[in-house]
Amino acid sequence: MKKLTVSFLFFYSQIIGVLFFITSPVNGQQLHDSITYYHNMVLNSKSKDSLLSGYIYFRNQKEQNLKNKEDIKAIYNLRMIIITQIDLGLIYEAESSVIEALKLIDNQQVIDNSLMQDKLALYNSLGMIYRSMNKYDKAIVIYDQALEIAKRTSDSISLHNNKGNIYKDLGEFILAEKEFNIVYNERLKTGNEQLLAKALDNLGSVQGKLGNKRGLERMLEALTIRIKENDVQYYYTNYKHLAEYYKDRGEVKEAKRYANLAYEAASLYRESYLEDALPRLLEFSDDGLVSEYIKMNDSLVKERLLVDEKYSSAKYNLEKEQRRTFKTELQKERQEKLKLIYLFSGLTVLLIAIFTIYILKLRHKKEKFQQVYNTEIRISKKIHDEVANDVYHVMTKLQSKTDTNEVILDDLENIYTRTRDISKENSAIDVKGNFNGLLNDLLLSYKNKEVNVITKNSSKIDWNTIADIKKTTLYRVLQELMTNMRKHSQASIVALTFNQAKNSIVIDYKDNGVGCELFKNNGLQNVENRIKSINGTITFESQVNNGFKVKIKV
């Protein structure tokens, strides 16, 4: 009977409310005395007036909490509101409240265990609401969704129990028995007599529908436990199930006896139970008009539910779609902002790169000017030290006329040779042609009676693959090394070995000169700077009276 289903929703909501409320504190704060008072009033209400008082109180609390943006407290308020709405028969309003609470949970950035328990409780309530609307398929879907997120056994038992009630309403007693068996087996493990009695009663009522003899035994066992435990709250359900059992078997006398007992239990406990128990008792009336009225009333209730079908679920789905659309628009807006950020970042990087290149060019230009300046100083010093002094010396000889013309001519030839060498050291080099020949000419020009210059593998180097700047640098570096050798080393043998490995050239220089304590004077410093300018490496190795070694890699 539909009226039965609606009125009994409070019974289930009470249990779920208690189970979930215990594990879901309101944001970790102590409940105020008034909240505790109305909370107990709602869960233990025996009249609609107390339910209405609880509804008004929690509705006002919800509005205040939403205004203060305290969503967690508002979710708790809505759960209490839902319990009152279900028991007052405000099914569609209860559905809207569930949806409102679920939206608040969905809007939270972090869903912790407490909020997950709230969500489970709301799913439970929504399943019961759909059951009262005869939307059994939707109720099953909701319970299955809840089972997917339920982590505690106590939560799962409650959900299986509710699924069993749905299957029982549908007349699918085998499926109902399966669900109630799960609950019964779990309750056996707890040792809680009251919970075991409930599981026995539900399982027995379904087995009775299936003609299983154990059904009656389990219902009577549940009743015995409840009487022993003085569990008055559940006398009514036990008597009601026994009345149904005997009515299904045509045992009217026993059915009527248990229906009377159910009515008495309802009158002692809850007003909503009476609304369900009275029609059940009147079914056994001999007055045909009463029976006809009951049937007609059931039909009218069902018809009203169909006619009064509201759009709350559709509204929820629509709002979900709107939220999805809003999130999509928000995502697009974020992407546009990200594009602007990326564009700005790209422009910033580009400007930094341009500025860096400009600074590097300025620095390179400055270094180039410095190199030119250093070269000019070096050439000037060399001309002064090696040419000007000799010219002055020759001029002195001419003035004194102490030397013969032949000696003076030798001195002039020497000055000419030095001037030519200086010019050669600083003149432009044509590295486009036969660079190997050019390099050999340079090295062999330092060969004479006192110094033997040996080169190895220079012809095996593929000089065409080497950049011109590198070839020019190598030429000047080797020229500097050979000049230093002639001036300072007193070497009789100089060996230069060339090797090529992939894109690198390695040159080993060795002489058997007097060596020195390594100190980077202007000559060696210029050599090192030149090699570094082309990202190469150069190492020097020397000891007094033990020759001079250089390793170049470019």
Side-chain angles (χ1 to χ4, degrees):
M1 293 173 67
K2 178 48 55 185
K3 195 169 184 180
L4 166 65
T5 303
V6 174
S7 63
F8 252 60
L9 286 173
F10 181 77
F11 164 73
Y12 295 110
S13 64
Q14 255 193 312
I15 301 302
I16 301 306
V18 171
L19 287 173
F20 286 110
F21 179 78
I22 290 172
T23 58
S24 302
V26 182
N27 204 24
Q29 297 182 2
Q30 290 292 332
L31 293 175
H32 189 272
D33 288 344
S34 59
I35 296 177
T36 304
Y37 171 77
Y38 283 104
H39 171 83
N40 293 330
M41 176 186 287
V42 169
L43 292 184
N44 302 303
S45 172
K46 294 187 178 181
S47 68
K48 289 186 177 180
D49 287 341
S50 58
L51 283 172
L52 188 59
S53 297
Y55 168 78
I56 294 171
Y57 174 79
F58 284 111
R59 183 193 62 186
N60 293 337
Q61 286 291 307
K62 182 202 76 170
E63 297 300 328
Q64 186 64 38
N65 287 327
L66 287 176
K67 184 178 179 181
N68 296 335
K69 295 184 179 180
E70 295 183 284
D71 290 354
I72 305 300
K73 291 182 180 180
I75 291 168
Y76 162 72
N77 300 145
L78 280 165
R79 285 180 52 192
M80 301 308 296
I81 288 169
I82 291 162
I83 294 174
T84 63
Q85 288 172 328
I86 290 175
D87 200 52
L88 288 169
L90 304 173
I91 303 304
Y92 295 102
E93 288 80 357
E95 182 187 20
S96 297
S97 296
V98 171
I99 291 166
E100 184 181 358
L102 287 172
K103 285 196 294 185
L104 287 175
I105 293 176
D106 291 341
N107 289 335
Q108 301 305 305
Q109 292 183 347
V110 177
I111 300 180
D112 57 15
N113 289 334
S114 178
L115 281 176
M116 191 60 71
Q117 290 301 115
D118 286 330
K119 195 169 190 177
L120 279 170
L122 291 167
Y123 275 161
N124 242 326
S125 298
L126 190 58
M128 289 186 285
I129 290 168
Y130 285 144
R131 178 188 176 193
S132 69
M133 294 178 178
N134 292 333
K135 297 179 179 179
Y136 299 114
D137 290 342
K138 294 185 75 171
I140 292 295
V141 169
I142 289 295
Y143 287 137
D144 285 339
Q145 289 176 353
L147 281 167
E148 288 179 4
I149 63 174
K151 295 181 179 180
R152 300 186 310 183
T153 303
S154 58
D155 299 334
S156 300
I157 290 174
S158 177
L159 293 165
H160 283 297
N161 190 75
N162 289 345
K163 281 185 71 175
N165 287 324
I166 296 292
Y167 288 130
K168 184 178 177 182
D169 290 347
L170 290 170
E172 297 180 8
F173 301 120
I174 294 176
L175 292 175
E177 183 185 27
K178 179 181 177 182
E179 297 294 332
F180 287 137
N181 254 320
I182 294 173
V183 177
Y184 171 68
N185 290 328
E186 290 296 332
R187 292 305 188 201
L188 280 174
K189 299 175 186 178
T190 65
N192 186 309
E193 291 288 312
Q194 290 179 320
L195 294 177
L196 180 61
K198 180 182 175 183
L200 281 166
D201 186 27
N202 286 332
L203 180 60
S205 68
V206 171
Q207 289 179 332
K209 297 287 185 182
L210 291 170
N212 188 332
K213 294 180 181 179
R214 292 294 307 276
L216 179 59
E217 294 174 7
R218 282 180 165 146
M219 285 187 284
L220 291 173
E221 184 182 352
L223 182 59
T224 301
I225 293 173
R226 282 168 170 167
I227 291 172
K228 175 187 172 184
E229 296 289 328
N230 196 28
D231 195 2
V232 179
Q233 179 180 353
Y234 295 105
Y235 285 0
Y236 172 73
T237 55
N238 235 132
Y239 289 141
K240 180 194 72 170
H241 289 153
L242 287 166
E244 288 177 354
Y245 175 82
Y246 285 112
K247 180 184 175 185
D248 291 342
R249 280 154 183 74
E251 298 181 32
V252 178
K253 185 177 179 181
E254 280 297 293
K256 190 174 181 179
R257 183 170 75 87
Y258 280 111
N260 274 308
L261 289 171
Y263 179 78
E264 290 174 9
S267 63
L268 291 173
Y269 185 67
R270 190 183 294 279
E271 185 178 301
S272 59
Y273 285 11
L274 271 176
E275 293 178 3
D276 178 64
L278 185 58
R280 188 176 303 279
L281 182 61
L282 291 175
E283 286 179 359
F284 299 101
S285 173
D286 295 329
D287 192 334
L289 289 175
V290 173
S291 299
E292 187 64 28
Y293 167 76
I294 292 171
K295 291 179 181 178
M296 184 178 294
N297 185 61
D298 286 345
S299 298
L300 288 172
V301 169
K302 291 178 182 179
E303 186 68 23
R304 186 166 63 250
L305 283 171
L306 292 173
V307 173
D308 197 34
E309 180 72 36
K310 292 190 177 181
Y311 55 90
S312 296
S313 295
K315 180 181 177 182
Y316 177 51
N317 291 332
L318 177 62
E319 288 179 350
K320 282 181 70 176
E321 186 62 34
Q322 288 174 339
R323 288 200 305 274
R324 191 181 296 113
T325 303
F326 174 74
K327 286 181 180 178
T328 302
E329 292 297 325
L330 187 62
Q331 188 66 27
K332 286 182 180 178
E333 186 177 341
R334 286 176 180 169
Q335 287 176 353
E336 291 297 326
K337 287 181 179 178
L338 282 174
K339 285 181 182 178
L340 290 174
I341 291 171
Y342 291 150
L343 179 61
F344 177 76
S345 301
L347 289 173
T348 303
V349 171
L350 180 61
L351 289 173
I352 292 172
I354 293 172
F355 180 73
T356 303
I357 291 171
Y358 176 73
I359 294 297
L360 289 175
K361 281 187 175 180
L362 283 179
R363 186 179 297 172
H364 178 68
K365 191 174 182 180
K366 184 178 179 181
E367 289 175 354
K368 200 169 183 181
F369 283 148
Q370 186 66 40
Q371 286 179 3
V372 171
Y373 176 71
N374 291 338
T375 302
E376 288 175 348
I377 291 174
R378 185 168 57 84
I379 293 172
S380 175
K381 187 175 183 298
K382 204 162 190 178
I383 291 173
H384 177 272
D385 294 344
E386 297 186 19
V387 179
N389 288 340
D390 288 345
V391 170
Y392 179 79
H393 185 60
V394 172
M395 288 172 61
T396 302
K397 286 182 179 180
L398 287 172
Q399 287 175 353
S400 63
K401 295 183 180 181
T402 56
D403 293 322
T404 63
N405 290 336
E406 197 171 305
V407 172
I408 293 173
L409 286 172
D410 288 341
D411 289 341
L412 289 173
E413 183 178 357
N414 184 42
I415 292 170
Y416 167 75
T417 301
R418 292 187 182 186
T419 305
R420 183 190 63 185
D421 289 344
I422 293 171
S423 174
K424 194 173 183 181
E425 286 177 16
N426 297 281
S427 62
I429 306 169
D430 181 13
V431 296
K432 298 285 187 184
N434 182 7
F435 182 72
N436 183 56
L438 184 67
L439 196 59
N440 277 324
D441 288 343
L442 170 69
L443 298 174
L444 294 176
S445 68
Y446 289 90
K447 184 177 181 181
N448 54 36
K449 293 179 182 180
E450 290 78 23
V451 180
N452 185 18
V453 179
I454 302 170
T455 62
K456 184 179 178 181
N457 296 335
S458 64
S459 61
K460 293 182 180 180
I461 304 298
D462 187 2
W463 294 106
N464 292 326
T465 63
I466 309 302
D468 290 349
I469 184 66
K470 287 187 177 182
K471 288 190 283 188
T472 301
T473 301
L474 285 174
Y475 185 93
R476 291 299 186 198
V477 166
L478 292 175
Q479 186 180 50
E480 188 81 33
L481 289 175
M482 296 301 289
T483 300
N484 283 341
M485 176 274 300
R486 174 181 286 179
K487 287 182 179 180
H488 309 296
S489 73
Q490 302 177 25
S492 59
I493 299 175
V494 178
L496 292 103
T497 304
F498 295 79
N499 289 296
Q500 187 169 14
K502 295 184 179 179
N503 296 325
S504 298
I505 293 176
V506 179
I507 302 173
D508 286 304
Y509 169 94
K510 298 178 183 178
D511 69 38
N512 64 347
V514 295
C516 64
E517 291 291 340
L518 279 178
F519 176 75
K520 293 180 183 177
N521 55 23
N522 288 337
L524 293 184
Q525 189 64 58
N526 286 336
V527 166
E528 189 173 53
N529 290 341
R530 286 180 185 273
I531 293 298
K532 285 184 177 180
S533 69
I534 57 173
N535 297 321
T537 59
I538 183 167
T539 56
F540 305 97
E541 183 181 342
S542 181
Q543 292 179 352
V544 177
N545 299 321
N546 199 24
F548 189 73
K549 298 178 183 178
V550 181
K551 186 169 186 176
I552 302 169
K553 184 176 181 181
V554 295

